[in-house]
Every structure is written in C-alpha cells, then in structure tokens.
C-alpha cells in the first residue's frame, strides 16, 4: 500500500468513528471539525490529506511549521493551528503562519500574540488551553484563572477568543476531563459570544469528547500512523 492509499484508508476509518460518535450523541457530523495533527510529518502528507478534503492542520513547533507552511502556500484553503506550548518570544513568528493559536495559557503570552498580530495589522483567533487538573506545569491555565485570561484576550482587540481546549490528563478519566471542559466553555460562551468552540479528544478518546460536546477533535496517530517521518 502506498502512502496515499494508507492515508485515504486511515481517514475513512477516522471519519467513520466521528460519524458514529455524532450519531450516538444525537449531533450532526458537521458540528465537529477534524483537525489533522501533522507535526513531525512531511509536507507531502499534508498535500495528500488536502486532496482528500481536509482543510485544518495542526503543528506544535514553530520552526517546523513555518517551513512546512512555506512549502504549502499553494494549498489556498488550508488553515493552520498552533497546538503546542508556545514561548512569548515565538509570538511574532507564529503569527506569520498560524490562523489560530489553540494553546494560549497566560496573560503574558496573550499580550505577546496581540502585539504581534497588531504589528501585522491582522486579528488572530485563539483558544484558551485549560489545565483541568490544575497542573499547569504541563501547559494550560488553571480553571480559576480562565475568566481573567479571557478578559485580557477580549479587551486586546487583536485576538478573537474562539473557545477552549484541553488534553485529558492521565490522572483523570477522559470523560471527566471533557465534562469539566464543557462546563468551562459553557461559562465562557455566556460572557464571550465568540467563544463557541470546545477542542477536545484525540485518537484514543475522540468518542468521549464528542459525547461531551467537543466541536474539534485533534487526530494524529489514527490518521497518519505511529511511525514518525522526518519533515523536510
């Protein structure tokens, strides 16, 4: 099986899982975005997935992503997400290629991204990364600090708050983590009308996430495989 056939088969399987999870949850399939996590995989894989209809792609390292996006400028409808932990000194570079940053977890990072977006005369979509278990050493803002950070983002005028994301911690059942994030997003929506998205669920737990209202599942291994390729 060549790579194009492999990815086509993987995508069909992932799509079937998402469709079934939506059916069980009583949701429409178009309520859930499939975000292909293409970190460490070559630009050629993105081209194949784009040809199969995917438009949303995620990277977690600025240097790798910048080079990859540069190679793929001809994919005019591709939308790129930054999903990894981000240092403030990378804000200017990330704004060059990312349509959305899904890992905003501090006031200082939000301020750096707002400044970078302002310099580019653009707005930047962002998600709050929430630490559901409160262990912010792994990334994420504590639940108690979500309202403050959301306010800073909204008042900046350069960032548009689109919702929140989390990675289910190993210390919790995924269903518990996703239920907690759903509560966070519900409160965000009350105060910030643009914050409608809940990004949760990956290859191993996307069904649980969809059942709790996730509007975006981030899939890498199930789509691209466990074998990592070297990005050009």
């Amino acid at each position: 099986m060549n790579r194009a056939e492999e990815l086509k088969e993987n995508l069909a399987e992932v799509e079937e899982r998402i469709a079934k999870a939506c059916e069980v949850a009583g949701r429409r399939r178009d309520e859930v975005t499939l975000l292909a996590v293409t970190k460490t995989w070559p630009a050629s894989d993105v081209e194949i997935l784009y040809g199969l209809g995917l438009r949303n792609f995620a990277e977690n390292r600025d240097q790798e992503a910048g080079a990859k996006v540069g190679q793929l400028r001809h994919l005019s409808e591709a939308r790129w997400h930054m999903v990894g932990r981000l240092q403030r000194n990378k804000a200017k570079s990330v704004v060059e290629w990312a349509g959305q940053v899904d890992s905003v977890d501090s006031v200082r990072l939000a301020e750096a991204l707002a400044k970078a977006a302002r310099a580019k005369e653009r707005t930047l979509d962002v998600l709050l990364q929430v630490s559901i278990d409160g262990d912010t050493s792994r990334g994420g803002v504590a639940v108690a600090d979500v309202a403050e950070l959301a306010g800073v983002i909204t008042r900046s005028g350069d960032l548009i708050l689109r919702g929140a994301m989390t990675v289910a911690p190993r210390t919790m059942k995924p269903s518990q983590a996703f239920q907690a994030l759903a509560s966070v997003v519900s409160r965000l929506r009350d105060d910030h009308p643009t914050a409608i998205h809940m990004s949760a669920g990956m290859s191993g737990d996307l069904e649980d996430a969809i059942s709790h209202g996730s509007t975006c599942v981030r899939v890498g291994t199930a789509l691209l495989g466990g074998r990592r390729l070297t990005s050009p």
Side-chain angles (χ1 to χ4, degrees):
M1 184 185 298
N2 64 33
R3 185 61 171 163
E5 292 171 342
E6 180 184 5
L7 293 181
K8 183 178 181 179
E9 183 175 294
N10 290 349
L11 177 58
E13 292 175 358
V14 170
E15 283 287 354
E16 183 177 4
R17 289 176 61 191
I18 295 172
K20 286 184 177 179
C22 288
E23 183 179 2
V24 170
R27 302 178 61 192
R28 301 190 315 272
R29 170 63 187 89
D30 62 8
E31 294 178 23
V32 181
T33 297
L34 171 56
L35 178 58
V37 182
T38 52
K39 62 182 185 181
T40 77
W41 296 90
S44 57
D45 280 355
V46 177
E47 289 197 90
I48 293 169
L49 292 172
Y50 187 92
L52 292 169
L54 292 190
R55 293 295 182 266
N56 290 277
F57 304 95
E59 295 286 323
N60 76 334
R61 290 174 54 237
D62 172 59
Q63 186 174 359
E64 176 188 349
K68 192 179 296 182
V69 174
Q71 288 182 272
L72 297 169
R73 294 290 185 192
H74 58 287
L75 304 183
S76 60
E77 296 180 5
R79 178 169 169 79
W80 294 92
H81 297 239
M82 174 63 174
V83 296
R85 295 193 73 176
L86 181 60
Q87 296 178 330
R88 288 179 294 121
N89 62 0
K90 297 291 187 181
K92 184 177 180 181
S93 178
V94 166
V95 168
E96 293 285 340
W97 61 266
Q100 182 167 299
V101 175
D102 294 5
S103 50
V104 178
D105 61 0
S106 72
V107 169
R108 296 179 74 186
L109 176 56
E111 291 173 342
L113 288 168
K115 181 179 179 181
R118 192 178 312 125
K120 289 289 292 181
E121 298 183 339
R122 60 164 293 196
T123 56
L124 178 69
D125 291 341
V126 300
L127 299 182
L128 300 184
Q129 181 176 348
V130 181
S131 173
I132 293 298
D133 65 355
D135 183 0
T136 57
S137 66
R138 297 195 311 272
V141 60
V143 173
D145 297 325
V146 163
E148 177 189 5
L149 180 53
V152 169
I153 289 170
T154 301
R155 290 191 297 271
S156 74
D158 304 290
L159 306 178
I160 301 176
L161 181 60
R162 295 300 185 186
M165 70 87 83
T166 200
V167 177
R170 294 180 179 178
T171 55
M172 299 175 68
K173 292 182 178 179
S175 59
Q176 291 176 308
F178 301 148
Q179 183 174 0
L181 182 65
S183 296
V184 170
V185 173
S186 178
R187 293 193 295 272
L188 274 179
R189 288 169 179 161
D190 289 340
D191 297 326
H192 306 277
T194 61
I196 61 174
H197 294 293
M198 171 180 165
S199 177
M202 299 187 291
S203 293
D205 53 24
L206 65 85
E207 287 88 355
D208 268 339
I210 290 171
S211 73
H212 285 89
S214 177
T215 64
C216 177
V217 291
R218 308 180 302 274
V219 180
T221 301
L223 192 59
L224 290 137
R227 179 171 53 90
R228 303 231 170 172
L229 304 182
T230 301
S231 295

